[in-house]
Short mmCIF file of all heavy atoms in Angstrom, two decimals:
data_model
loop_
_atom_site.label_atom_id
_atom_site.label_comp_id
_atom_site.label_asym_id
_atom_site.label_seq_id
_atom_site.Cartn_x
_atom_site.Cartn_y
_atom_site.Cartn_z
N GLY A 274 177.97 138.37 69.57
CA GLY A 274 176.68 138.02 70.18
C GLY A 274 175.78 139.22 70.35
O GLY A 274 174.76 139.14 71.04
N CYS A 275 176.11 140.35 69.73
CA CYS A 275 175.35 141.59 69.98
C CYS A 275 173.90 141.44 69.52
O CYS A 275 173.62 141.05 68.39
CB CYS A 275 176.01 142.76 69.25
SG CYS A 275 175.14 144.31 69.52
N ASN A 276 172.97 141.76 70.42
CA ASN A 276 171.54 141.61 70.10
C ASN A 276 170.79 142.92 70.22
O ASN A 276 169.58 142.93 70.35
CB ASN A 276 170.92 140.59 71.06
CG ASN A 276 170.95 141.06 72.51
OD1 ASN A 276 171.51 142.12 72.82
ND2 ASN A 276 170.36 140.28 73.39
N ARG A 277 171.50 144.08 70.21
CA ARG A 277 170.82 145.33 70.57
C ARG A 277 171.02 146.46 69.57
O ARG A 277 172.00 146.50 68.83
CB ARG A 277 171.30 145.78 71.95
CG ARG A 277 172.77 146.04 72.02
CD ARG A 277 173.24 146.13 73.45
NE ARG A 277 173.02 144.91 74.18
CZ ARG A 277 173.28 144.71 75.46
NH1 ARG A 277 173.80 145.70 76.16
NH2 ARG A 277 173.05 143.58 76.06
N VAL A 278 170.08 147.38 69.59
CA VAL A 278 170.18 148.64 68.86
C VAL A 278 169.70 149.74 69.80
O VAL A 278 169.06 149.45 70.82
CB VAL A 278 169.34 148.62 67.56
CG1 VAL A 278 169.93 147.66 66.54
CG2 VAL A 278 167.88 148.28 67.83
N ARG A 279 170.01 150.99 69.43
CA ARG A 279 169.72 152.10 70.35
C ARG A 279 169.01 153.24 69.65
O ARG A 279 169.44 153.68 68.58
CB ARG A 279 171.03 152.62 70.94
CG ARG A 279 171.72 151.63 71.84
CD ARG A 279 173.09 152.14 72.23
NE ARG A 279 173.60 151.48 73.42
CZ ARG A 279 174.28 150.34 73.39
NH1 ARG A 279 174.53 149.74 72.25
NH2 ARG A 279 174.69 149.79 74.51
N LEU A 280 167.96 153.75 70.28
CA LEU A 280 167.19 154.87 69.75
C LEU A 280 167.53 156.11 70.57
O LEU A 280 167.39 156.11 71.79
CB LEU A 280 165.69 154.57 69.86
CG LEU A 280 164.74 155.68 69.40
CD1 LEU A 280 164.84 155.89 67.89
CD2 LEU A 280 163.30 155.34 69.81
N THR A 281 167.95 157.19 69.87
CA THR A 281 168.26 158.42 70.61
C THR A 281 167.00 159.26 70.76
O THR A 281 165.99 159.05 70.09
CB THR A 281 169.32 159.26 69.86
OG1 THR A 281 168.77 159.66 68.59
CG2 THR A 281 170.60 158.48 69.64
N THR A 282 167.12 160.25 71.62
CA THR A 282 165.96 161.08 71.93
C THR A 282 165.54 161.96 70.74
O THR A 282 164.42 162.44 70.69
CB THR A 282 166.26 161.92 73.20
OG1 THR A 282 165.10 162.56 73.62
CG2 THR A 282 167.37 162.93 72.97
N ASP A 283 166.44 162.13 69.74
CA ASP A 283 166.04 162.85 68.53
C ASP A 283 165.74 161.90 67.37
O ASP A 283 165.72 162.31 66.21
CB ASP A 283 167.09 163.90 68.12
CG ASP A 283 168.44 163.29 67.82
OD1 ASP A 283 168.67 162.13 68.21
OD2 ASP A 283 169.27 163.95 67.17
N GLY A 284 165.54 160.63 67.70
CA GLY A 284 164.97 159.72 66.71
C GLY A 284 165.95 159.01 65.79
O GLY A 284 165.55 158.43 64.80
N LYS A 285 167.24 159.01 66.15
CA LYS A 285 168.22 158.26 65.35
C LYS A 285 168.34 156.85 65.91
O LYS A 285 168.39 156.67 67.13
CB LYS A 285 169.60 158.94 65.40
CG LYS A 285 169.59 160.42 65.07
CD LYS A 285 169.50 160.63 63.57
CE LYS A 285 169.75 162.05 63.11
NZ LYS A 285 169.39 163.14 63.98
N LEU A 286 168.41 155.89 65.01
CA LEU A 286 168.65 154.52 65.44
C LEU A 286 170.12 154.22 65.23
O LEU A 286 170.59 154.17 64.09
CB LEU A 286 167.80 153.53 64.64
CG LEU A 286 167.91 152.08 65.11
CD1 LEU A 286 167.19 151.88 66.46
CD2 LEU A 286 167.32 151.11 64.08
N TYR A 287 170.85 154.05 66.33
CA TYR A 287 172.28 153.69 66.24
C TYR A 287 172.39 152.18 66.33
O TYR A 287 171.79 151.53 67.20
CB TYR A 287 173.08 154.38 67.34
CG TYR A 287 173.39 155.83 66.98
CD1 TYR A 287 172.54 156.85 67.37
CD2 TYR A 287 174.50 156.15 66.22
CE1 TYR A 287 172.80 158.16 67.01
CE2 TYR A 287 174.78 157.46 65.85
CZ TYR A 287 173.92 158.46 66.25
OH TYR A 287 174.17 159.75 65.88
N LEU A 288 173.20 151.65 65.43
CA LEU A 288 173.31 150.20 65.32
C LEU A 288 174.41 149.65 66.20
O LEU A 288 174.47 148.45 66.46
CB LEU A 288 173.55 149.80 63.85
CG LEU A 288 172.40 150.05 62.87
CD1 LEU A 288 171.06 149.61 63.44
CD2 LEU A 288 172.29 151.49 62.40
N CYS A 289 175.31 150.54 66.65
CA CYS A 289 176.44 150.10 67.47
C CYS A 289 176.89 151.29 68.31
O CYS A 289 177.02 152.41 67.79
CB CYS A 289 177.59 149.63 66.57
SG CYS A 289 179.11 149.28 67.46
N LEU A 290 177.13 151.05 69.60
CA LEU A 290 177.58 152.12 70.50
C LEU A 290 178.90 152.71 70.01
O LEU A 290 179.18 153.89 70.22
CB LEU A 290 177.76 151.50 71.90
CG LEU A 290 177.92 152.42 73.10
CD1 LEU A 290 176.78 153.39 73.23
CD2 LEU A 290 178.05 151.57 74.36
N GLY A 291 179.71 151.91 69.35
CA GLY A 291 181.05 152.35 68.96
C GLY A 291 181.18 152.74 67.50
O GLY A 291 182.28 152.71 66.94
N HIS A 292 180.08 153.08 66.84
CA HIS A 292 180.13 153.52 65.44
C HIS A 292 179.15 154.66 65.21
O HIS A 292 178.18 154.80 65.96
CB HIS A 292 179.72 152.37 64.50
CG HIS A 292 180.85 151.47 64.12
ND1 HIS A 292 181.66 151.69 63.05
CD2 HIS A 292 181.32 150.35 64.72
CE1 HIS A 292 182.57 150.74 62.97
NE2 HIS A 292 182.38 149.91 63.98
N ASP A 293 179.37 155.40 64.15
CA ASP A 293 178.47 156.51 63.84
C ASP A 293 177.32 156.12 62.90
O ASP A 293 176.47 156.96 62.61
CB ASP A 293 179.26 157.67 63.22
CG ASP A 293 180.11 158.37 64.28
OD1 ASP A 293 179.64 158.48 65.43
OD2 ASP A 293 181.24 158.77 63.96
N ASP A 294 177.30 154.88 62.44
CA ASP A 294 176.23 154.47 61.52
C ASP A 294 174.88 154.61 62.21
O ASP A 294 174.69 154.11 63.31
CB ASP A 294 176.40 153.00 61.12
CG ASP A 294 177.77 152.73 60.57
OD1 ASP A 294 178.72 152.66 61.38
OD2 ASP A 294 177.89 152.60 59.35
N GLN A 295 173.96 155.28 61.51
CA GLN A 295 172.62 155.45 62.09
C GLN A 295 171.60 155.65 60.99
O GLN A 295 171.96 155.98 59.86
CB GLN A 295 172.60 156.64 63.05
CG GLN A 295 173.25 157.91 62.54
CD GLN A 295 172.28 158.91 61.94
OE1 GLN A 295 171.09 158.64 61.80
NE2 GLN A 295 172.77 160.06 61.55
N VAL A 296 170.34 155.44 61.32
CA VAL A 296 169.27 155.79 60.40
C VAL A 296 168.29 156.69 61.15
O VAL A 296 168.13 156.59 62.37
CB VAL A 296 168.53 154.54 59.84
CG1 VAL A 296 169.40 153.78 58.87
CG2 VAL A 296 168.05 153.63 60.95
N ASP A 297 167.64 157.59 60.40
CA ASP A 297 166.80 158.60 61.02
C ASP A 297 165.35 158.09 61.06
O ASP A 297 164.60 158.23 60.08
CB ASP A 297 166.92 159.90 60.21
CG ASP A 297 166.23 161.06 60.92
OD1 ASP A 297 165.44 160.82 61.85
OD2 ASP A 297 166.48 162.20 60.51
N LEU A 298 164.96 157.52 62.19
CA LEU A 298 163.60 156.97 62.30
C LEU A 298 162.56 158.08 62.45
O LEU A 298 161.41 157.92 62.04
CB LEU A 298 163.51 155.99 63.48
CG LEU A 298 164.41 154.75 63.42
CD1 LEU A 298 164.02 153.77 64.53
CD2 LEU A 298 164.34 154.07 62.06
N LYS A 299 162.96 159.19 63.02
CA LYS A 299 162.01 160.31 63.18
C LYS A 299 161.58 160.81 61.80
O LYS A 299 160.39 160.98 61.53
CB LYS A 299 162.67 161.45 63.97
CG LYS A 299 161.75 162.64 64.20
CD LYS A 299 162.41 163.70 65.06
CE LYS A 299 163.49 164.43 64.28
NZ LYS A 299 164.12 165.53 65.03
N ALA A 300 162.58 161.03 60.91
CA ALA A 300 162.26 161.51 59.56
C ALA A 300 161.39 160.48 58.83
O ALA A 300 160.42 160.84 58.14
CB ALA A 300 163.53 161.77 58.78
N ALA A 301 161.72 159.20 58.99
CA ALA A 301 160.96 158.16 58.30
C ALA A 301 159.51 158.14 58.79
O ALA A 301 158.57 158.15 57.99
CB ALA A 301 161.63 156.80 58.53
N LEU A 302 159.34 158.16 60.11
CA LEU A 302 157.99 158.08 60.68
C LEU A 302 157.17 159.31 60.28
O LEU A 302 156.00 159.19 59.88
CB LEU A 302 158.09 157.97 62.21
CG LEU A 302 156.78 157.87 62.97
CD1 LEU A 302 156.01 156.60 62.60
CD2 LEU A 302 157.02 157.90 64.49
N ARG A 303 157.79 160.50 60.37
CA ARG A 303 157.05 161.72 60.05
C ARG A 303 156.76 161.82 58.55
O ARG A 303 155.74 162.35 58.14
CB ARG A 303 157.84 162.95 60.53
CG ARG A 303 157.83 163.06 62.05
CD ARG A 303 158.54 164.30 62.54
NE ARG A 303 158.59 164.28 64.02
CZ ARG A 303 159.21 165.20 64.75
NH1 ARG A 303 159.83 166.20 64.17
NH2 ARG A 303 159.21 165.10 66.06
N GLY A 304 157.70 161.28 57.75
CA GLY A 304 157.53 161.41 56.30
C GLY A 304 156.65 160.35 55.68
O GLY A 304 155.95 160.61 54.70
N GLY A 305 156.66 159.14 56.21
CA GLY A 305 155.97 158.05 55.53
C GLY A 305 155.27 157.06 56.43
O GLY A 305 154.91 155.96 55.98
N GLY A 306 155.11 157.39 57.71
CA GLY A 306 154.36 156.52 58.61
C GLY A 306 155.05 155.17 58.84
O GLY A 306 156.26 155.02 58.63
N ILE A 307 154.23 154.18 59.22
CA ILE A 307 154.77 152.86 59.62
C ILE A 307 155.53 152.17 58.47
O ILE A 307 156.61 151.61 58.71
CB ILE A 307 153.65 151.95 60.16
CG1 ILE A 307 153.02 152.56 61.42
CG2 ILE A 307 154.17 150.53 60.45
CD1 ILE A 307 153.94 152.65 62.62
N PRO A 308 155.04 152.21 57.20
CA PRO A 308 155.82 151.53 56.15
C PRO A 308 157.23 152.13 56.01
O PRO A 308 158.21 151.38 55.87
CB PRO A 308 154.99 151.78 54.88
CG PRO A 308 153.60 152.02 55.37
CD PRO A 308 153.75 152.71 56.70
N ALA A 309 157.34 153.45 56.10
CA ALA A 309 158.66 154.07 55.98
C ALA A 309 159.51 153.76 57.22
O ALA A 309 160.73 153.56 57.12
CB ALA A 309 158.51 155.58 55.81
N LEU A 310 158.85 153.69 58.36
CA LEU A 310 159.57 153.33 59.59
C LEU A 310 160.15 151.92 59.46
O LEU A 310 161.33 151.68 59.75
CB LEU A 310 158.61 153.42 60.79
CG LEU A 310 159.16 153.00 62.15
CD1 LEU A 310 160.31 153.91 62.59
CD2 LEU A 310 158.05 153.04 63.21
N ASP A 311 159.33 151.00 58.98
CA ASP A 311 159.80 149.61 58.80
C ASP A 311 160.97 149.55 57.82
O ASP A 311 161.95 148.84 58.05
CB ASP A 311 158.67 148.73 58.27
CG ASP A 311 157.85 148.13 59.41
OD1 ASP A 311 158.40 148.01 60.53
OD2 ASP A 311 156.68 147.78 59.18
N ALA A 312 160.86 150.32 56.74
CA ALA A 312 161.93 150.30 55.74
C ALA A 312 163.23 150.86 56.34
O ALA A 312 164.32 150.35 56.08
CB ALA A 312 161.51 151.12 54.51
N ALA A 313 163.10 151.90 57.15
CA ALA A 313 164.29 152.49 57.78
C ALA A 313 164.92 151.50 58.77
O ALA A 313 166.14 151.37 58.85
CB ALA A 313 163.92 153.79 58.47
N ILE A 314 164.08 150.80 59.52
CA ILE A 314 164.60 149.79 60.46
C ILE A 314 165.33 148.69 59.68
O ILE A 314 166.43 148.26 60.06
CB ILE A 314 163.45 149.20 61.32
CG1 ILE A 314 162.88 150.27 62.26
CG2 ILE A 314 163.95 147.98 62.11
CD1 ILE A 314 161.61 149.86 63.01
N ASP A 315 164.74 148.25 58.57
CA ASP A 315 165.38 147.22 57.74
C ASP A 315 166.74 147.69 57.24
O ASP A 315 167.72 146.94 57.24
CB ASP A 315 164.50 146.83 56.55
CG ASP A 315 163.28 146.05 56.99
OD1 ASP A 315 163.33 145.46 58.09
OD2 ASP A 315 162.27 146.05 56.25
N HIS A 316 166.79 148.96 56.82
CA HIS A 316 168.06 149.50 56.34
C HIS A 316 169.09 149.48 57.48
O HIS A 316 170.25 149.11 57.29
CB HIS A 316 167.87 150.92 55.80
CG HIS A 316 169.14 151.55 55.36
ND1 HIS A 316 169.91 151.04 54.33
CD2 HIS A 316 169.82 152.64 55.83
CE1 HIS A 316 171.00 151.78 54.18
NE2 HIS A 316 170.97 152.75 55.08
N GLY A 317 168.64 149.86 58.65
CA GLY A 317 169.53 149.85 59.82
C GLY A 317 170.12 148.46 60.06
O GLY A 317 171.32 148.32 60.32
N LEU A 318 169.29 147.45 59.95
CA LEU A 318 169.79 146.09 60.18
C LEU A 318 170.84 145.70 59.15
O LEU A 318 171.81 145.01 59.46
CB LEU A 318 168.62 145.09 60.14
CG LEU A 318 167.68 145.20 61.34
CD1 LEU A 318 166.41 144.42 61.09
CD2 LEU A 318 168.38 144.69 62.60
N ARG A 319 170.63 146.19 57.92
CA ARG A 319 171.60 145.85 56.86
C ARG A 319 172.96 146.49 57.13
O ARG A 319 173.98 145.94 56.75
CB ARG A 319 171.06 146.29 55.49
CG ARG A 319 170.02 145.33 54.93
CD ARG A 319 169.80 145.56 53.43
NE ARG A 319 169.23 146.87 53.15
CZ ARG A 319 167.92 147.15 53.17
NH1 ARG A 319 167.04 146.19 53.42
NH2 ARG A 319 167.48 148.37 52.90
N ILE A 320 172.98 147.66 57.79
CA ILE A 320 174.26 148.35 57.98
C ILE A 320 174.82 148.19 59.40
O ILE A 320 175.82 148.81 59.74
CB ILE A 320 174.17 149.86 57.62
CG1 ILE A 320 173.20 150.58 58.57
CG2 ILE A 320 173.75 150.05 56.16
CD1 ILE A 320 173.26 152.11 58.42
N LYS A 321 174.19 147.35 60.22
CA LYS A 321 174.72 147.16 61.58
C LYS A 321 176.15 146.62 61.49
O LYS A 321 176.38 145.57 60.90
CB LYS A 321 173.81 146.21 62.38
CG LYS A 321 174.22 146.04 63.84
CD LYS A 321 173.12 145.31 64.63
CE LYS A 321 173.61 144.74 65.96
NZ LYS A 321 174.18 145.70 66.89
N PRO A 322 177.12 147.35 62.09
CA PRO A 322 178.52 146.92 61.95
C PRO A 322 178.79 145.58 62.63
O PRO A 322 178.11 145.21 63.60
CB PRO A 322 179.31 148.03 62.65
CG PRO A 322 178.38 149.18 62.76
CD PRO A 322 177.00 148.59 62.84
N ALA A 323 179.78 144.88 62.12
CA ALA A 323 180.13 143.58 62.70
C ALA A 323 180.73 143.75 64.09
O ALA A 323 180.55 142.89 64.96
CB ALA A 323 181.13 142.87 61.79
N ALA A 324 181.44 144.87 64.33
CA ALA A 324 182.14 145.03 65.61
C ALA A 324 182.42 146.51 65.88
O ALA A 324 182.44 147.32 64.95
CB ALA A 324 183.47 144.27 65.58
N HIS A 325 182.62 146.83 67.17
CA HIS A 325 182.92 148.22 67.52
C HIS A 325 184.38 148.55 67.21
O HIS A 325 185.19 147.68 66.93
CB HIS A 325 182.60 148.48 68.99
CG HIS A 325 183.53 147.80 69.95
ND1 HIS A 325 184.85 148.13 70.07
CD2 HIS A 325 183.33 146.79 70.84
CE1 HIS A 325 185.41 147.40 70.99
NE2 HIS A 325 184.52 146.56 71.46
N ASP A 326 184.70 149.85 67.31
CA ASP A 326 186.05 150.35 66.98
C ASP A 326 186.73 150.99 68.17
O ASP A 326 187.57 151.86 68.00
CB ASP A 326 185.89 151.48 65.93
CG ASP A 326 186.06 150.96 64.53
OD1 ASP A 326 186.46 149.81 64.38
OD2 ASP A 326 185.80 151.74 63.59
#
Side-chain angles (χ1 to χ4, degrees):
C275 180
N276 64 356
R277 61 195 61 183
V278 291
R279 293 172 160 87
L280 177 68
T281 63
T282 189
D283 61 343
K285 309 282 191 329
L286 185 72
Y287 280 92
L288 293 315
C289 172
L290 193 56
H292 273 271
D293 287 324
D294 306 75
Q295 47 97 355
V296 289
D297 189 345
L298 298 190
K299 181 177 73 176
L302 180 63
R303 289 183 184 176
I307 298 294
L310 177 63
D311 271 336
I314 293 171
D315 289 338
H316 177 62
L318 289 167
R319 282 196 295 275
I320 64 170
K321 184 169 163 58
H325 70 67
D326 264 351

